[in-house]
Amino acid sequence: MKDLEKALELGVSQQKRFNATQPKVWLRNECVRVGLAETLCTYVMMVFGLGSVAQVVTGQGAFGEYLSINLGFGLGVAMGVHVGGKVSGAHMNAAVSFTMCMFGRLGWKMLPLYIFAQLLGSFLAAGTIYGVYYDAIHEYCGGNLTVTGELATAGIFATYPAPYLSLMGGFIDQVLGTALLLLCLMALSDQRNKPAAAGTEPIAVGLLVLLIGISMGRNSGYAINPTRDIAPRLFTAVAGWGMDVFRAGNGWWWVPLVGPPIGGVLGAGLYKVLVEMHHPHVSEPVDGLMEEFDEEAAPLKKKKIICANVCV
C-alpha cells in the first residue's frame, strides 16, 4: 500500500514538472497566428526573390544572371513554405488564396486576412531590399530612378512587359502561367494521386516556381501573383519612381493583378475536372486491381487469423 502511495506521489510530481516545462502559447487567436505566419513567410520569399533581382541588375551580370533570379524566387518560395506552411499554409499569393476559396479549401472570411498579410509582407520586403541595395541602386542609375530605359531600376521590384508584348498577350501569359501553377499545386497535394512525399512539399513547390520561371519568364517576368506585384509597385511609387510605375507598358499594372486569379481558378478547375473527380472509391474495383490486391493481401489475412488463434 505504501509503495502504491509513493508511486502516485512520484507520478504527480513528474506531471507537475512536465507541466512546468511546457512552452507557453502566447497567441491563441487563430486569425492572428495565421496572419503573422502568412506575413512572415511572404516577407521571406520576397526578400530572397527581390534580392536576387537587385543583385543581378545592379551587378550588371557580374553577380548572377537570369537563372539566378529563377533560383532566388524558387528557393525563396521553398523557405517561405518552411516558415509558415503548418500555420497558414504559406500561400504567399493572392491567386492561390482566391482559388482555395473558390474550391472550398479556405473560408471566404479568411481571404481579406490572407491578402492583407501578403500585401504587407511584400511591401516590407520591397522596403528591405531597397534599403540593403540603396547605394548599389543609386550607383547603378546615377541617382536617377527610372521605370524604363537602359538604366531602369523599377523592374527590381515589380514586373514590366517586354517591349514587344501587347496587353492581351501579357494577359494570356499571366493566366496560363498561374493556371499551370495551381494545376500542379493541386496535383502535388492530391493524396489519391502522386503527391509530394511528406516533408518534401517545400522543395517541390519551389521547384515548380523555378520551372515556371525558366520556361515562361521571358515575356513579363512571370509575376503569377497579384500581391507580389502590386505591393512592391506601390512601394516604388512612393519611394521615388513616381506614378510612371503605373503608366509604363501601356498601363501594364492591372494585368498581373487580374490575370493570375482567373488563371488559378482555371488551372485548379482543369485538374479537378480531368483528374481528381475521377478517382475511384477505395472499395470500388478498377479493372481487376482489387482482385490482385486481395491475392497480395492473403498472407496478411492468414497472419491475422494466426494471431487471433494465439490470442484465444
Side-chain angles (χ1 to χ4, degrees):
M1 192 67 181
K2 291 182 178 179
D3 292 340
L4 179 60
E5 290 177 357
K6 288 182 179 179
L8 290 173
E9 290 176 1
L10 180 61
V12 171
S13 63
Q14 287 179 343
Q15 181 66 32
K16 288 181 178 178
R17 193 179 303 114
F18 176 76
N19 291 335
T21 58
Q22 283 289 305
K24 293 183 178 180
V25 179
W26 294 103
L27 293 173
R28 297 183 181 276
N29 186 292
E30 182 181 357
C31 289
V32 175
R33 291 173 59 244
V34 167
L36 291 175
E38 188 68 12
T39 300
L40 184 59
C41 65
T42 304
Y43 175 83
V44 168
M45 180 266 289
M46 289 295 290
V47 164
F48 285 127
L50 297 182
S52 65
V53 182
Q55 181 165 292
V56 170
V57 172
T58 60
Q60 303 182 58
F63 298 95
E65 50 191 18
Y66 183 67
L67 182 59
S68 303
I69 298 173
N70 300 148
L71 289 169
F73 270 106
L75 293 174
V77 166
M79 293 303 104
V81 176
H82 276 296
V83 169
K86 284 290 186 179
V87 182
S88 69
H91 294 180
M92 301 177 285
N93 185 335
V96 174
S97 301
F98 179 74
T99 302
M100 294 301 103
C101 289
M102 286 292 293
F103 288 89
R105 300 189 179 189
L106 179 69
W108 284 102
K109 66 179 181 179
M110 297 294 287
L111 183 60
L113 174 62
Y114 272 80
I115 291 178
F116 176 78
Q118 292 157 6
L119 288 171
L120 179 60
S122 298
F123 190 91
L124 292 175
T128 299
I129 293 303
Y130 181 63
V132 170
Y133 282 94
Y134 179 86
D135 293 331
I137 290 173
H138 283 264
E139 191 275 335
Y140 171 75
C141 67
N144 184 25
L145 302 177
T146 57
V147 179
T148 58
E150 292 184 3
L151 299 178
T153 48
I156 292 173
F157 303 94
T159 63
Y160 294 89
Y164 60 80
L165 190 67
S166 66
L167 286 178
M168 181 55 68
F171 184 80
I172 294 172
D173 172 87
Q174 288 299 294
V175 170
L176 179 59
T178 316
L180 290 172
L181 173 68
L182 267 296
L183 188 155
C184 293
L185 285 177
M186 293 286 281
L188 288 172
S189 62
D190 188 354
Q191 297 302 313
R192 300 177 67 189
N193 195 353
K194 279 288 187 180
T200 67
E201 297 91 341
I203 194 64
V205 177
L207 287 173
L208 171 58
V209 173
L210 171 63
L211 179 60
I212 293 174
I214 61 178
S215 61
M216 304 190 69
R218 172 68 177 92
N219 285 334
S220 60
Y222 73 107
I224 58 173
N225 183 342
T227 44
R228 168 263 177 275
D229 192 83
I230 192 64
R233 193 180 300 275
L234 287 170
F235 173 81
T236 53
V238 300
W241 282 265
M243 295 305 293
D244 282 346
V245 299
F246 294 101
R247 301 189 192 101
N250 295 318
W252 166 261
W253 68 272
W254 66 270
V255 176
L257 199 62
V258 178
I262 296 174
V265 173
L266 290 176
L270 189 65
Y271 180 82
K272 194 170 185 68
V273 170
L274 297 184
V275 179
E276 189 176 299
M277 290 176 62
H278 307 294
H279 288 322
H281 295 292
V282 176
S283 60
E284 182 180 335
V286 182
D287 297 333
L289 289 178
M290 290 304 295
E291 294 179 3
E292 293 179 9
F293 176 77
D294 287 339
E295 291 178 1
E296 293 177 358
L300 296 177
K301 292 179 180 177
K302 290 180 181 178
K303 288 182 180 179
K304 287 181 180 179
I305 294 173
I306 293 171
C307 291
N309 292 333
V310 171
C311 291
V312 172

